[in-house]
Amino acid sequence: MSSELSALVPVLFGHATFQQLNAGCELGLFELLDTDGPLPAGTVAETLGLSRRSTDILLLGTTALGLTEVAGGEYRNGAPVAAVFRHGLWPVLRDIVQYQDRIAYLPAADYVESLRTGENVGIRHFPGTTRDLYSRLAAVPGLEELFYRGMHAWSQLSNPVLLAQHDLARARRVLDVGGGDAVNAVALARAHPSLRVTVLDRPGALEVARKTIAEAGLEDRVETYPADIFADPYPPGHDCVLFAHQLVIWSPEQNLALLRKAYDALDPEGRVLVFNAFTDDDRTGPLYAALDNVYFTTLPFRHSTIYRWADCEQWLREAGFTDVGRTAASGWTPHGVVSGRRPA
Ligand SMILES: C[S@@+](CC[C@H](N)C(=O)[O-])C[C@H]1O[C@@H](n2cnc3c(N)ncnc32)[C@H](O)[C@@H]1O
């Protein structure tokens, strides 16, 4: 029985598990061990400016979790953290951890109340009276920047499956609905040198987007279009409409409305692409989607959730799209693309 019950440890202390990772990031432990490791605890304490007691507590936590390793009294990064550095993903992981810490963490404590009421109760942590997180971002200085730095990292981590879509190799002009800071628009324009992209979003998001586009030197091929995704018409002349990390926010009815708008805006033979994480059709996982759903339940909007692949495919068919298909990513996140064609 005791070994069965030990599976409860990382669950019971889930909040503490994240805080060990967060502390290792914030205090500079992993960066130090990457550049100078292996190091004895005393040198870690001295270099990080921590007491020996704090250092021992932190190293115990990170080592027990496999985030660091010790041999002969010297510490180095553990396999998952070392792999993040080796693949050049450290800035991406650091921004994602910061997003979890500063945006998702406190609202997650409102999970029970959110399930009870069916409301995104965690939004109370951000000032405002509107019911979705995005329209509240502008009210807190620095929040828009913090949010899009995190979203940028999530997209960068997961968008290779989108960039590899065959439909995009054939496309001429993409409308990126709710395109945020243009992370995917810029990546698409880089991957497909003759592609033009229009990023449609709120004015606040587009301020950040224009910086991303200018930094990439892509002002000639990536443009911005301020509009409300529900209330305003979509600009014509696009043969591909992309919803990236968008249909996880809204209800099935709202998603159907968005897909119908995309259908009407598309050229005949145009494609729609839905890119985000998906839940298995049999509702058994994956773990990533199951746990990320705490964020979606507590924060973005009252209907936000990671839907099943089959749900998304069904909405596309209902909106009139044909040739509906799915492509799952091969990475460690359950991202993928559901695509469809507007018949001629
Ligand atoms: C989760 S973010 C995704 C950003 C980007 N597509 C990505 O994948 O990184 C959702 C985006 O939808 C935008 N959005 C939400 N509601 C909107 C509305 N009513 N009109 C325009 N944009 C909206 C937000 O401003 C935000 O940039």
Side-chain angles (χ1 to χ4, degrees), residues 3 25 31 41 67 104 138 156 225 240-241 282 330:
S3 65
C25 291
E31 279 167 316
L67 301 172
Q156 246 186 326
Y225 187 93
C240 181
V241 173
D282 65 4
S330 56

Side-chain angles (χ1 to χ4, degrees), residues 18 30 46 60 97 106 148 205 211 217 281 297 312:
F18 172 73
F30 303 124
E46 212 173 288
L60 170 65
V97 170
L106 288 180
Y148 283 110
K211 282 189 203 141
D281 287 339
T297 308
C312 186

Side-chain angles (χ1 to χ4, degrees), residues 89-156:
L89 288 172
W90 175 251
V92 173
L93 182 74
R94 199 193 46 210
D95 286 346
I96 288 177
V97 170
Q98 215 167 66
Y99 186 97
Q100 297 290 66
D101 179 43
R102 301 192 193 165
I103 293 185
Y105 194 82
L106 288 180
D110 293 316
Y111 185 50
V112 174
E113 200 53 17
S114 297
L115 289 175
R116 243 186 216 129
T117 60
E119 297 292 333
N120 50 332
V121 177
I123 202 171
R124 70 188 175 89
H125 295 273
F126 300 92
T129 52
T130 53
R131 294 309 309 158
D132 71 281
L133 172 66
Y134 312 100
S135 47
R136 292 194 185 194
L137 292 177
V140 181
L143 184 59
E144 198 111 47
E145 193 275 331
L146 174 67
F147 176 84
Y148 283 110
R149 195 148 37 82
M151 247 353 278
H152 192 101
W154 287 115
S155 277
Q156 246 186 326

Side-chain angles (χ1 to χ4, degrees), residues 148 151 155 178-180 183-184 201-202 227-229 244-246 250:
Y148 283 110
M151 247 353 278
S155 277
V183 53
N184 296 307
D201 209 301
R202 299 170 305 106
D228 184 285
I229 58 171
H245 294 124
Q246 186 61 237
W250 313 110

Side-chain angles (χ1 to χ4, degrees), residues 8-332:
L8 285 173
V9 172
V11 181
L12 187 59
F13 295 102
H15 58 297
T17 303
F18 172 73
Q19 289 304 342
Q20 300 290 1
L21 173 67
N22 188 37
C25 291
E26 286 287 317
L27 298 170
L29 172 67
F30 303 124
E31 279 167 316
L32 173 66
L33 293 182
D34 181 62
T35 50
D36 295 349
L39 291 173
T43 311
V44 172
E46 212 173 288
T47 316
L48 298 185
L50 294 176
S51 69
R52 185 58 199 261
R53 174 181 172 274
S54 295
T55 305
D56 286 345
I57 292 170
L58 175 61
L59 286 171
L60 170 65
T62 55
T63 304
L65 285 168
L67 301 172
T68 54
E69 290 171 2
V70 63
E74 299 203 315
Y75 290 85
R76 67 178 74 216
N77 282 328
V81 176
V84 166
F85 280 102
R86 203 169 51 248
H87 293 296
L89 288 172
W90 175 251
V92 173
L93 182 74
R94 199 193 46 210
D95 286 346
I96 288 177
V97 170
Q98 215 167 66
Y99 186 97
Q100 297 290 66
D101 179 43
R102 301 192 193 165
I103 293 185
Y105 194 82
L106 288 180
D110 293 316
Y111 185 50
V112 174
E113 200 53 17
S114 297
L115 289 175
R116 243 186 216 129
T117 60
E119 297 292 333
N120 50 332
V121 177
I123 202 171
R124 70 188 175 89
H125 295 273
F126 300 92
T129 52
T130 53
R131 294 309 309 158
D132 71 281
L133 172 66
Y134 312 100
S135 47
R136 292 194 185 194
L137 292 177
V140 181
L143 184 59
E144 198 111 47
E145 193 275 331
L146 174 67
F147 176 84
Y148 283 110
R149 195 148 37 82
M151 247 353 278
H152 192 101
W154 287 115
S155 277
Q156 246 186 326
L157 184 70
S158 55
N159 72 14
V161 66
L162 172 67
L163 304 184
Q165 278 294 299
H166 295 309
D167 288 338
L168 286 163
R170 290 192 291 262
R172 190 177 38 78
R173 198 153 176 223
V174 177
L175 178 64
D176 183 4
V177 179
D181 81 331
V183 53
N184 296 307
V186 161
L188 287 173
R190 281 192 175 131
H192 303 283
S194 58
L195 195 66
R196 300 177 64 83
V197 189
T198 309
V199 181
L200 183 154
D201 209 301
R202 299 170 305 106
L206 295 182
E207 269 177 44
V208 190
R210 279 190 284 275
K211 282 189 203 141
T212 316
I213 297 164
E215 275 164 24
L218 283 167
E219 295 99 325
D220 56 332
R221 287 196 291 127
V222 183
E223 62 191 78
T224 57
Y225 187 93
D228 184 285
I229 58 171
F230 292 106
D232 295 325
Y234 292 172
H238 296 86
D239 59 353
C240 181
V241 173
L242 168 65
F243 293 102
H245 294 124
Q246 186 61 237
L247 302 195
V248 284
I249 302 170
W250 313 110
S251 69
E253 294 74 24
Q254 287 170 305
N255 287 340
L256 192 54
L258 290 175
L259 287 164
R260 289 197 164 119
K261 287 188 74 158
Y263 186 97
D264 291 341
L266 269 172
D267 298 341
E269 294 291 338
R271 311 277 160 157
V272 66
L273 300 176
V274 179
F275 162 63
N276 46 240
F278 290 97
T279 299
D280 294 341
D281 287 339
D282 65 4
R283 298 182 205 276
T284 55
L287 185 61
Y288 176 113
L291 298 182
D292 201 11
N293 249 347
V294 173
Y295 167 78
F296 284 103
T297 308
T298 55
L299 198 49
F301 186 60
R302 65 196 296 265
H303 293 294
S304 308
T305 194
I306 302 183
Y307 291 99
R308 298 180 316 147
W309 294 91
D311 295 326
C312 186
E313 289 166 343
Q314 178 58 26
W315 303 327
L316 260 66
R317 289 191 195 96
E318 268 182 70
F321 291 102
T322 56
D323 299 346
V324 174
R326 64 172 81 170
T327 316
S330 56
W332 59 275

